[in-house]
Amino acid sequence: MRGGKPKPLAIDHHPSAQLLSDYLIANLSPGVALAVGAHLDLCAACRLAGAALAGSAAHPDTGASWSEADTHAAPWPTAVRHACAESWSPMRKGVEGSHATHVSGLGEFVYLLRALPGADIGAASLSSAFVVLVTAGALDLDGRRFRAGDLVELAAPPASAVADRAAGASLLVVADESPRRLRGARPGAPAPRSR
């Protein structure tokens, strides 16, 4: 529909009640708090659940109502745009990664991945990840599909990770360590050009 409101995202994977509760009392590492906050930017149901848990309708970071803001896909949710680095490094064919700036806490590494449609992101890119937020497109992890807005808490490293064949994928990843291809990259450094 032209000129109308964007269609809300169909989000199927949400933070656990414990993770949402910890977010509300500011008891999360910076990277996980960023992932949960970005999910809240996209998910009206979790904003309402957060308001019910908090006993008010105020978002802890902005003071805005949890039920405000349209829920629609954007390349990077508002909470993530502030952490986006300006340089991207090629990680494998059709996949680039970037350090998220000013959000990694002690014992965690936060990075962004963007993958072209159908690109094999590679299990190694997510080998130490414990939280993944799909910010745009979709992702198949071990045969399970996750769409924009889905927050995935990983108990074990995935064996496969592939971007959607039509839309690709943009991800915010919180991990125990940097993927090998990003270890040499410095935030703010120009990305090497791939040929």
Side-chain angles (χ1 to χ4, degrees):
M1 175 173 160
R2 288 189 178 171
K5 284 188 171 186
K7 183 179 177 185
L9 293 173
I11 297 173
D12 295 323
H13 301 275
H14 308 275
S16 64
Q18 183 63 53
L19 201 58
L20 187 55
S21 178
D22 285 345
Y23 176 80
L24 292 170
I25 62 171
N27 191 31
L28 294 175
S29 66
V32 176
L34 176 64
V36 173
H39 173 82
L40 291 169
D41 279 352
L42 299 169
C43 184
C46 285
R47 287 193 301 273
L48 293 173
L53 280 172
S56 77
H59 186 288
D61 293 334
T62 64
S65 169
W66 285 77
S67 59
E68 290 173 5
D70 295 325
T71 306
H72 60 279
W76 302 107
T78 303
V80 178
R81 268 187 238 133
H82 301 291
C84 286
E86 293 185 17
S87 63
W88 291 84
S89 299
M91 298 198 45
R92 58 187 304 138
K93 186 176 180 179
V95 180
E96 294 180 312
S98 179
H99 294 273
T101 58
H102 311 295
V103 291
S104 294
L106 187 61
E108 75 176 0
F109 187 81
V110 183
Y111 56 99
L112 309 167
L113 292 178
R114 58 186 181 193
L116 294 174
D120 179 0
I121 293 169
S125 297
L126 301 174
S127 64
S128 70
F130 53 91
V131 172
V132 175
L133 175 70
V134 180
T135 62
L139 172 69
D140 289 323
L141 285 176
D142 297 334
R144 292 184 60 204
R145 186 159 183 80
F146 299 96
R147 299 178 295 196
D150 284 344
L151 187 131
V152 185
E153 295 177 65
L154 296 172
S160 68
V162 179
D164 181 74
R165 293 193 185 284
S170 294
L171 312 172
L172 169 71
V173 181
V174 185
D176 291 326
E177 61 184 48
S178 168
R180 188 171 52 92
R181 294 275 184 148
L182 281 181
R183 286 189 188 141
R186 290 174 288 122
R193 297 279 178 206
S194 57
R195 294 180 189 246

